[in-house]
Amino acid sequence: MANKKSFFGLKFIYDAPATLTFALACIILFALDSLVFKQKLTSLILTSPIAGGSGGAAGSALGVAGAAASNLAFSASNPLSYLRLFLYALGAASGEILVCNMIFVLLLGPSMEERYGTVVIGIMIFVSALFSGVLNACFCKTPLNGCEAIIFMMIFLNSFVSLSKKKIPLSFVFVFILFVLRGILSADFKADSSAVIQIIINVAGGLCGSLFAFLTSPKAKAAKKSEKSEGGLLNRAESYRESQKPKKSLFGKKKEDDTVQQNYAGDETVISSMRFDD
């Protein structure tokens, strides 16, 4: 019996490899950290380094205590500090934040990946996370934990699609404002006075990644060029019809006459053979 690759006639496709792989990695790591490692992954690699040595306050903000909190400060001699500069984007402070972030990623990511390409989006996810992680390690004493910078990058990318046509999409302006308000409302300003600084860092990381993708994507440039050359369905139909017409040459008339004579000779042969058979 043949293996069925569809479900009720519908096939599941891995349509956005970079976006889906990132989302699955976030979900799997959160599940492992919550159920198996008991928040040890968060304190080890899923938290960005911080500037200075206020590890106690930073650790209490994340629910990390003891020696793990004292290791949050960036150390040039510690290899884990470099890994935490971008691996923090795979973490999440709570299940509610994880679900909210994944909704944004899976709604915004696939359309941008189709436009810019899987490789470019994968690089931009890394660039956005790394840029925000470096800024946080330089200027902020509270660690980052989550993919907010990547979500801002995807919001900016969606906006740039319309900005290239000299339009400002109000829908994405509202999305940006609401996502910023979500970060402000979810922060505890009494325990975490640097929440606004972290929002600015995430916005800066997203802007850096989106600008780099917009300027360097060959797939987007090729799509724009093809749109200008094709110019819609009617122009494509017209070009196809023109391509089907026979090409004329300097001796076009003579070739047409030769073709007519050959067809006429072939018809005579067929007629004579039919008479012979009769």
Side-chain angles (χ1 to χ4, degrees), residues 173-252:
V173 172
F174 285 130
V175 169
F176 175 81
I177 294 174
L178 290 174
F179 195 71
V180 171
L181 287 176
R182 173 250 187 194
I184 294 174
L185 294 175
S186 63
D188 186 0
F189 289 97
K190 294 181 180 180
D192 184 10
S193 59
S194 59
V196 175
I197 299 176
Q198 286 191 322
I199 293 174
I200 296 173
I201 288 174
N202 285 324
V203 171
L207 186 61
C208 175
S210 60
L211 283 174
F212 191 82
F214 184 73
L215 295 174
T216 61
S217 173
K219 188 172 181 180
K221 294 177 182 178
K224 290 181 182 179
K225 186 181 292 186
S226 63
E227 286 175 2
K228 290 180 180 179
S229 61
E230 291 174 357
L233 183 61
L234 292 177
N235 287 340
R236 289 198 297 269
E238 183 67 24
S239 61
Y240 176 78
R241 188 175 63 181
E242 292 293 334
S243 65
Q244 298 301 314
K245 290 183 178 180
K247 296 182 179 180
K248 294 183 179 181
S249 63
L250 294 175
F251 306 99

Side-chain angles (χ1 to χ4, degrees), residues 111-234:
S111 61
M112 291 299 96
E113 188 168 344
E114 182 180 0
R115 178 176 177 83
Y116 292 96
T118 298
V119 175
V120 173
I121 291 298
I123 294 174
M124 290 310 100
I125 289 174
F126 174 78
V127 169
S128 299
L130 181 62
F131 190 77
S132 293
V134 170
L135 287 179
N136 196 80
C138 293
F139 302 108
C140 191
K141 296 184 180 296
T142 302
L144 293 173
N145 182 241
C147 60
E148 282 78 6
I150 295 167
I151 295 174
F152 279 119
M153 179 266 291
M154 293 179 176
I155 292 174
F156 287 134
L157 280 181
N158 277 273
S159 302
F160 286 159
V161 173
S162 297
L163 283 175
S164 62
K165 302 175 183 177
K166 298 182 179 179
K167 297 178 181 179
I168 300 177
L170 287 178
S171 58
F172 284 103
V173 172
F174 285 130
V175 169
F176 175 81
I177 294 174
L178 290 174
F179 195 71
V180 171
L181 287 176
R182 173 250 187 194
I184 294 174
L185 294 175
S186 63
D188 186 0
F189 289 97
K190 294 181 180 180
D192 184 10
S193 59
S194 59
V196 175
I197 299 176
Q198 286 191 322
I199 293 174
I200 296 173
I201 288 174
N202 285 324
V203 171
L207 186 61
C208 175
S210 60
L211 283 174
F212 191 82
F214 184 73
L215 295 174
T216 61
S217 173
K219 188 172 181 180
K221 294 177 182 178
K224 290 181 182 179
K225 186 181 292 186
S226 63
E227 286 175 2
K228 290 180 180 179
S229 61
E230 291 174 357
L233 183 61
L234 292 177

